[in-house]
């Protein structure tokens, strides 16, 4: 009995061992983790043309299928269907799939109104009778391919190179963002009259470094990204800027460079090299910071009448093209985007207009620096101060003391560097303290539109 049973037992044991080995090998093929789907931005409304970034990942067996479809009133329109081939017993297939989706609802034959955007992804798991784990995300979207309306209420608009302008316009209630574009610069408009919905005003500027014929358009965009444009009756006055040759002496470099040694990267060595780095790279870094500070603004005008011109003798003007020479060679160029005014040392520096302190700290070439927000995208900047007497968030009146003049940052003698910015673009400050310019270019715009200055 025992001698007969032994071979059977051995065969049984081998079968069991093989089954166990197969189970160990195949077990991961039954994994139960479904793929992960991300769609950015999260779609809420789909306009004429939409781009969405789709990313699908599956950490274990890998992807078998990704499908994107729009469903409206029971009808399905497939946007994308992608199958992933891999041998059945290969452990890992494709674990990641990224695709830029372009969806054009009109070309797909969809109507205006509600629809569902459905993303499905299946993996290669043996789960669900070999059908895999299914991930499904459904987004309720509104199909809207009709652009908003925009109508300009201003007549002739005069604009200087490096100068500012204002336009008043009316948009339909579906407009979510609106403003003016000048070349590559986009200026945001504001609904400045709470009791007059749809009426908006936008301050914009012609940056001093733009080409002569940069296109200028008013625009409005709805939630679905549909955009409408309107032309403006623009009259651009071209202006040539002063060219300044600045000779860098060793004593000037020795006076200024040590202030910035700790800011320069370690591969920038020697005072002359540090000076050149400050004049180009640090200037650029500081201007990026200023642009990000000026991206925030109150949605109403915080000031009245005209700007106050700070005291002092003008030392250099807006838009001056500066060419720096060292040991007989041109080594650096920069554009001066403000005015320099020199009075007695440690002069009190007044706020040019009422506003809110947006920034008050050390800022590279500008030294101790204050930036005020005057609302609707208009800011003023005060540089090289020896002391700061205000703090961010503080409301200031016109003429209120911000600090004392000085020579901090990239400055040799005590002076104020004063800049005005519109939508983050440096503009000629002189326009803003000229009452005639304010009357002809700001107040007239409101009057033409039959509106009060907000
Ligand atoms: Zn300056």
């Amino acid at each position: 009995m025992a001698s007969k049973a032994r071979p059977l037992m051995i065969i049984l044991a081998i079968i069991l061992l093989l089954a166990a080995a197969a189970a160990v090998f195949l077990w991961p093929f039954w994994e139960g983790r479904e793929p992960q789907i991300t769609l950015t931005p999260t779609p809420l409304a789909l306009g004429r043309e939409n781009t969405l970034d789709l990313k699908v990942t599956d950490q274990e067996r890998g992807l078998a299928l990704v499908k994107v479809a729009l469903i409206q009133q029971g009808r399905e329109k497939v946007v994308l269907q992608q199958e992933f081939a891999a041998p059945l017993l290969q452990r890992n297939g494709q674990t990641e799939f990224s695709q830029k989706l372009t969806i054009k609802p009109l070309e797909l034959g969809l109507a205006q109104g509600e629809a569902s955007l459905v993303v499905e992804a299946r993996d290669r798991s043996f789960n669900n009778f070999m059908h895999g784990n299914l991930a499904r995300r459904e987004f309720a979207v509104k199909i809207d391919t009709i652009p908003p309306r925009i109508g300009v209420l201003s007549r002739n608009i005069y604009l200087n190179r490096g100068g500012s302008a204002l336009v008043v316009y009316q948009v339909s209630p579906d407009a979510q963002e609106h403003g003016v574009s000048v070349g590559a610069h986009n200026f945001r408009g504001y609904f400045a009259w709470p009791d007059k919905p749809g009426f908006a005003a936008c301050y914009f500027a012609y940056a001093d470094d733009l080409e002569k014929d940069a296109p200028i358009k008013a625009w409005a965009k709805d939630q679905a990204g549909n955009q409408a444009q309107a032309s403006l009756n623009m009259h651009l006055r071209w202006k040539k800027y002063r060219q300044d040759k600045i000779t860098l002496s060793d004593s000037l470099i020795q006076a200024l460079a040590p202030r910035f040694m700790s800011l320069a990267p370690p591969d920038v060595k020697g005072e002359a090299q540090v000076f050149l780095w400050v004049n180009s790279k640090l200037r650029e870094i500081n201007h990026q910071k200023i642009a990000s500070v000026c991206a925030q603004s109150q949605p109403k005008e915080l000031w009245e009448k005209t700007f106050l011109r700070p005291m002092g003798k003008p030392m250099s003007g807006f838009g001056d093209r500066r060419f720096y020479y060292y040991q007989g060679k041109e080594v650096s160029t920069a554009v001066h985007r403000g005015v320099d005014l020199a009075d007695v040392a440690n002069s009190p520096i007044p706020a040019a207009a009422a506003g809110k302190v947006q920034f008050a700290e050390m800022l590279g070439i500008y030294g101790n620096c204050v930036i005020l927000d005057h609302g609707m995208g208009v800011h003023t900047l005060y540089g090289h101060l020896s002391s700061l007497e205000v703090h961010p968030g503080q409301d200031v009146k016109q003429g209120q003391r911000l600090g004392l003049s000085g020579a901090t940052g990239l400055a040799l003698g005590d002076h104020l560097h004063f800049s005005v910015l519109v939508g983050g673009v440096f503009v000629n400050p002189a326009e803003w303290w000229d009452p005639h310019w304010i009357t002809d270019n700001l107040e007239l715009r409101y009057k033409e539109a039959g509106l009060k200055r907000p």
Side-chain angles (χ1 to χ4, degrees), residues 179-315:
V180 173
S181 65
V182 182
H185 293 282
N186 247 327
F187 299 88
R188 204 189 133 190
Y190 294 86
F191 290 120
W193 298 272
D195 56 334
K196 286 203 183 283
F199 286 85
C202 177
Y203 281 103
F204 61 101
Y206 204 97
D208 68 85
D209 55 358
L210 274 184
E211 298 292 316
K212 222 170 196 168
D213 294 310
I216 305 178
K217 293 256 181 285
W219 56 270
K221 219 188 234 181
D222 66 13
Q223 191 195 25
N226 302 303
Q227 190 167 313
Q229 288 190 337
S231 53
L232 305 176
N233 274 326
M234 295 301 311
H235 305 272
L236 180 72
R237 292 194 203 98
W238 201 247
K239 180 184 163 27
K240 274 217 166 99
Y241 293 112
R242 213 174 82 174
Q243 306 219 337
D244 257 355
K245 184 176 168 177
I246 296 172
T247 305
L248 300 170
S249 64
D250 284 319
S251 64
L252 182 129
I253 287 171
Q254 278 156 19
L256 292 172
R259 301 181 188 178
F260 300 99
M261 287 296 188
S262 62
L263 295 175
D267 58 317
V268 179
K269 288 187 181 79
E271 287 175 339
Q273 288 308 310
V274 168
F275 181 89
L276 295 179
W277 176 82
V278 169
N279 204 32
S280 57
K281 190 68 198 161
L282 185 61
R283 184 183 294 271
E284 190 190 314
I285 293 168
N286 295 158
H287 283 182
Q288 279 165 6
K289 175 72 186 173
I290 293 167
S292 78
V293 168
C294 294
Q296 300 290 320
S297 190
Q298 298 289 311
K300 56 175 190 261
E301 280 193 349
L302 303 174
W303 62 288
E304 314 174 300
K305 297 191 179 96
T306 59
F307 280 21
L308 203 77
R309 182 195 180 282
M311 293 287 283
K313 194 163 117 327
M315 307 298 286

Side-chain angles (χ1 to χ4, degrees), residues 8-79:
L8 209 70
M9 291 283 279
I10 290 168
I11 289 164
L12 212 69
I14 288 168
I15 290 170
L16 271 171
L17 250 152
L18 280 172
V24 166
F25 175 74
L26 287 173
W27 183 246
F29 288 66
W30 267 274
E31 52 93 3
R33 283 218 321 217
E34 61 187 41
Q36 298 291 308
I37 297 167
T38 44
L39 197 56
T40 37
T42 302
L44 297 166
L46 296 178
R48 213 163 267 262
E49 188 172 332
N50 314 271
T51 24
L52 297 167
D53 284 312
L54 173 69
K55 191 175 173 190
V56 186
T57 56
D58 186 79
Q59 286 321 314
E60 287 174 55
R61 282 277 289 151
L63 296 164
L65 173 78
V66 173
K67 183 179 165 186
V68 181
L70 270 160
I71 301 167
Q72 193 175 46
Q73 285 161 350
R75 288 186 307 145
E76 183 192 83
K77 303 282 177 183
V78 176
V79 175

Side-chain angles (χ1 to χ4, degrees), residues 335-362:
V335 177
H336 188 243
R337 297 205 158 95
V339 291
D340 288 345
L341 300 160
D343 200 11
V344 285
N346 296 317
S347 292
I349 299 304
K356 198 182 247 316
V357 180
Q358 192 105 338
F359 182 91
E361 60 183 272
M362 199 70 178

